[in-house]
Amino acid sequence: MKVTEHIQEAKGNTLVSFEVLPPLKGKTIQSLYNHLDPLMEFKPAYINVTYHRAETMFKKRVDGSFEQVEVRKRPGTVGICAAIRNHYNIDTVPHLICGGFNKQETENALIDLNFLGIDNVLVLRGDAAKNESSFEPHPGGHLYAIDLLKQVVNLNNGIYIEDDIQNGEKTKFCIGVAGYPEKHFEAPNLEIDLQNLKKKVDAGADYIMTQMFFDNSKFFQFVKDCRACGINVPIIPGLKPLTSKKQLSVLPRIFHVDIPTELSLEVMKCKTDADVEIVGTEWLLQQSRELKEFGAPVLHYYTLGKPKVIWNVVKELV
Ligand SMILES: Cc1cc2nc3c(=O)[nH]c(=O)nc-3n(C[C@H](O)[C@H](O)[C@H](O)COP(=O)(O)OP(=O)(O)OC[C@H]3O[C@@H](n4cnc5c(N)ncnc54)[C@H](O)[C@@H]3O)c2cc1C
């Protein structure tokens, strides 16, 4: 089922969904099931699986010189989506990115997903590779998420890259895109970022999934601004628990989000990360309750190695 169908069927009730990363290369799929098993009691509507581009690394040869190698540390997104679907009989949302892929590889991945019966994709640009100062598209790939989105929309209309394919099967992907209540870090301002988001929606995005945020008022304002500029698709808040003191500086640096003063002060008072986890759990619970009250269609939790914290929060909500 599509994410939008889940939302329609819920008739205004707030659903939950979870997001996982593929296990590191060499780890088993069981490690992922162990992570997800306890969360399944909350009957999530779907599970998102992130995508990770290959990284360029330098490996030392025996003669002391260095060899440049491409390493994908977390491969398997498409396979994991199929595995989770089989294992739990639940819908999955694979993330697809522009970075590192040409259009043919993207089309092949979409064909695989279609054959596997996966109805959803979250289309993203991806970040710059670690050895690049800014995002560089693959020479045969896409520059912005909207370009990737248009490729999926084309496939939904039976338009494949090879124009000699006549009456090609029309896929039926439900397409999600990313939105940033606190602005995408490269956008000159919130207004321009919102205009770019509207272009993605006008080009066929079915819903928006947000970057994490710790201050609900930023999400409420974002929804208001989206509605004011004619964005009428569902907007799903992305939520993450704060679980260590280090995150006070790491999260703003990596994800370009603010940590509210009240939360920062509480965290700074903590003696250990176990204490931070208690503060972070309570904060996330309050955020979740308020978002549910607001009528958020889905509460989407980034579980990122902290399924127990998410479990503690969601059990209080149901
Ligand atoms: C919910 C969510 C899930 C994510 N999952 C992953 C993942 O699985 N794997 C991964 O690698 N990364 C992931 N990311 C990170 C994401 O790839 C980065 O945030 C990336 O920098 C931007 O992706 P985007 O899809 O928002 O890009 P875009 O929508 O392309 O926007 C990127 C920037 O370009 C601007 N822009 C957009 N269109 C235009 C245009 N036509 N002209 C000029 N400027 C334009 C935007 O305002 C923005 O500043 C995720 C982010 C979110 C919020």
Side-chain angles (χ1 to χ4, degrees), residues 19 48-53 95-98 122-128 143-147 177-180 184-189 192-194 196-197 199-200 209-212 238 255 300 302:
E19 180 163 315
N48 279 50
V49 183
T50 56
Y51 209 108
H52 300 263
R53 66 185 296 174
H95 294 192
L96 279 188
I97 60 172
C98 307
L122 184 72
V123 301
L124 304 141
R125 188 196 67 182
D127 282 320
L143 178 57
Y144 292 112
I146 190 170
D147 306 316
V177 290
Y180 301 82
H184 182 260
F185 71 103
E186 291 166 29
N189 57 58
I192 301 283
D193 204 24
L194 210 61
N196 289 329
L197 178 59
K199 285 184 196 153
K200 293 195 275 191
M209 266 251 344
T210 78
Q211 180 60 282
M212 70 183 75
F255 297 103
H300 182 80
Y302 299 114

Side-chain angles (χ1 to χ4, degrees), residues 194 198 201-202 208 223-233:
L194 210 61
K198 176 142 180 1
V201 174
D202 291 346
I208 295 164
V223 173
K224 211 170 148 192
D225 292 343
C226 284
R227 300 309 180 220
C229 76
I231 296 176
N232 293 314
V233 296

Side-chain angles (χ1 to χ4, degrees), residues 2 60 62 78 87 98 146 199 212 252 268 297:
K2 298 178 177 193
K60 202 168 184 180
V62 275
V78 171
H87 191 76
C98 307
I146 190 170
K199 285 184 196 153
M212 70 183 75
M268 284 190 288

